[in-house]
Amino acid sequence: MPQIQANGTNLHYELSGPSGAPVVAFSNSLGTALAMWDALVPHLRGRYRVLRYDTRGHGASQVRDEPASVEDLADDLLGLLDALGIGRAHVVGLSLGGMTGQALAMRAPERVLSLTLMATAAEMPSEASWNERAETVRAQGTAAIVDATMERWFTPDFPRNAPAVVAPVRAQFVGTDRAGYAVCCNAIGRMDLRPGLGRITAPTLVIAGRDDPATPPAKSEEICAGIPQAELVLLPSARHLLAVEHPEATASHLLAFLDRHRGAAEAATGAVPFAEGVLNRRGVLGEAHVDRSLAAAGTFAGPWQDFITRVAWGEVWGDPRLPWKTRSLVTLGLMVALGREEEFKLHVRPALANGVTVSELQALLLQAAVYAGVPAANGAFRWAKDVLGDELA
């Protein structure tokens, strides 16, 4: 994934989704990276253009070991939007990302289409405690506080019931740069966004975990009391990292909110530059496959690659009127009916990444048996098994 300079900081980011769709920008929490949104993003794929990035000092973004404020982090995000040529975006942030979102909506209200704040606060006591945490991490690393942090982030049974979900989050936290983490701790300690809440004009959704000890529901209620157009959702049996522990519930509330504030109905994308088609193509099929196809095209097949990239991937897959999940289901159904084994296999894993479940794939193939014939569906079940193997067991 690429990096770009924004507000004097090299930020690691990912931008994917139909080129004609509204942009949703996600800002991560303290001690995580853009991967924290992995389980939530498929619910938006193909309906919105998704921008994720690593906050400065986190993940693969630049570490700047110098004092910073939450307003500086907001300027980072604003600079990222500018660098990518994005005029307005729906902004979503969790914890530190929610603080960043609040500051951005105060500083540049004309750039924020809507604001979603998850498990966050406008002020966090006390500065001394945050400075103490920063000093501990500088001296001992984030491993010194990882156990206490995981307890605040997840409900008691979740790490045992979903170890494959928690393990990468824990590893990312332990791997977070000491200085990068400490600088953001100091920024939180100095933060008080409460006086500016009334300046936020964007429609705002606040999602809180009912059992969150880090940013209790009272903190969300305080935000809602200050923002004129704010609404509050409380998720039961949820602690701080609610987008990771409850991605389906979180996505359901987020999508309903985004769709209400989506704006005017979209038209067909129309002519699309090659570069935008490549972004869509990579977003669906993966960078490695697309790069191989383009590199192998040569002089003879080059015009063909240009054509399908601009038309199929730019104009069609870039058209936001159908979500990518729907397009994946349509594509797979057509490939079954036409007996296109190679194309079917190419699109199976992208379909799962676009939100199609294995159960939905099974239902699609059963329907194909009715409308395309039993032999066609029989072959497709075999093709799916070839691609997914034990995942279908």
Side-chain angles (χ1 to χ4, degrees):
M1 284 176 273
Q3 289 203 351
I4 199 167
Q5 188 170 94
N7 191 33
T9 304
N10 290 324
L11 296 179
H12 176 241
Y13 74 95
E14 176 193 79
L15 178 62
S16 66
S19 50
V23 174
V24 182
F26 288 88
S27 186
N28 58 284
S29 70
L30 181 67
T32 69
L34 60 80
M36 67 159 286
W37 303 106
D38 280 355
L40 189 149
V41 163
H43 297 272
L44 278 69
R45 282 175 62 85
R47 181 153 176 77
Y48 291 92
R49 194 159 179 79
V50 174
L51 171 63
R52 298 188 285 173
Y53 73 103
D54 295 337
T55 296
R56 67 162 72 180
H58 290 66
S61 286
Q62 181 182 353
V63 177
R64 295 176 62 179
D65 192 2
E66 57 191 54
S69 65
V70 170
E71 288 77 11
D72 291 323
L73 303 184
D75 287 343
D76 288 353
L77 177 51
L78 184 60
L80 179 61
L81 295 176
D82 287 342
L84 294 172
I86 298 170
R88 305 180 73 196
H90 299 276
V91 176
V92 180
L94 190 148
S95 193
L96 177 61
M99 299 166 191
T100 300
Q102 292 173 71
L104 175 61
M106 294 174 193
R107 295 168 79 78
E110 73 284 357
R111 305 293 295 275
V112 181
L113 288 166
S114 75
L115 181 64
T116 300
L117 307 172
M118 302 179 183
T120 193
E123 181 270 344
M124 289 288 288
S126 65
E127 183 174 358
S129 66
W130 283 99
N131 290 343
E132 180 181 351
R133 187 193 296 194
E135 291 170 4
T136 298
V137 168
R138 282 187 180 276
Q140 304 175 43
T142 50
I145 61 170
V146 64
D147 289 334
T149 300
M150 294 300 110
E151 287 182 11
R152 292 193 299 271
W153 282 8
F154 300 112
T155 53
D157 293 337
F158 188 71
R160 181 176 64 254
N161 295 335
V165 176
V166 174
V169 175
R170 184 185 181 97
Q172 178 67 60
F173 185 84
V174 171
T176 301
D177 184 90
R178 297 183 182 198
Y181 186 94
V183 166
C184 289
C185 280
N186 297 141
I188 294 172
R190 291 191 300 271
M191 174 194 70
D192 189 354
L193 300 171
R194 292 173 296 181
L197 290 175
R199 300 201 306 272
I200 296 178
T201 57
T204 302
L205 171 66
V206 183
I207 304 178
R210 191 182 297 275
D211 303 318
D212 182 0
T215 51
K219 288 293 183 183
S220 295
E221 292 168 358
E222 183 176 53
I223 292 173
C224 285
I227 299 177
Q229 297 191 70
E231 56 190 271
L232 175 63
V233 170
L234 282 179
L235 294 185
S237 303
R239 288 195 173 180
H240 193 57
L241 222 61
L242 52 86
V244 175
E245 184 167 359
H246 299 288
E248 291 82 9
T250 304
S252 175
H253 290 293
L254 174 60
L255 270 174
F257 175 73
L258 291 174
D259 286 347
R260 290 205 311 273
H261 300 285
R262 188 177 176 89
E266 294 88 355
T269 305
V272 172
F274 178 85
E276 291 189 13
V278 167
L279 286 176
N280 294 334
R281 191 175 177 186
R282 286 174 173 153
V284 176
L285 299 180
E287 294 187 10
H289 171 81
V290 174
D291 290 345
R292 283 196 305 270
S293 297
L294 294 176
T299 303
F300 181 74
W304 167 247
Q305 290 294 325
D306 177 77
F307 173 78
I308 63 172
T309 299
R310 287 185 295 103
V311 178
W313 294 105
E315 296 185 22
V316 176
W317 283 85
D319 183 343
R321 293 176 298 173
L322 284 180
W324 277 1
K325 176 178 179 179
T326 303
R327 291 192 185 280
S328 285
L329 288 168
V330 170
T331 300
L332 290 175
L334 287 171
M335 294 307 97
V336 174
L338 295 172
R340 301 290 195 264
E341 178 179 357
E342 181 180 355
E343 284 289 318
F344 179 91
K345 289 181 175 180
L346 175 64
H347 280 274
V348 168
R349 286 204 178 277
L352 300 186
N354 286 340
V356 175
T357 66
V358 170
S359 178
E360 289 169 333
L361 175 61
Q362 181 189 60
L364 171 72
L365 299 186
L366 290 172
Q367 182 160 339
V370 175
Y371 291 96
V374 171
N378 184 58
F381 271 102
R382 185 178 68 253
W383 302 340
K385 183 70 173 178
D386 289 344
V387 175
L388 299 177
D390 293 340
E391 296 174 53
L392 299 181

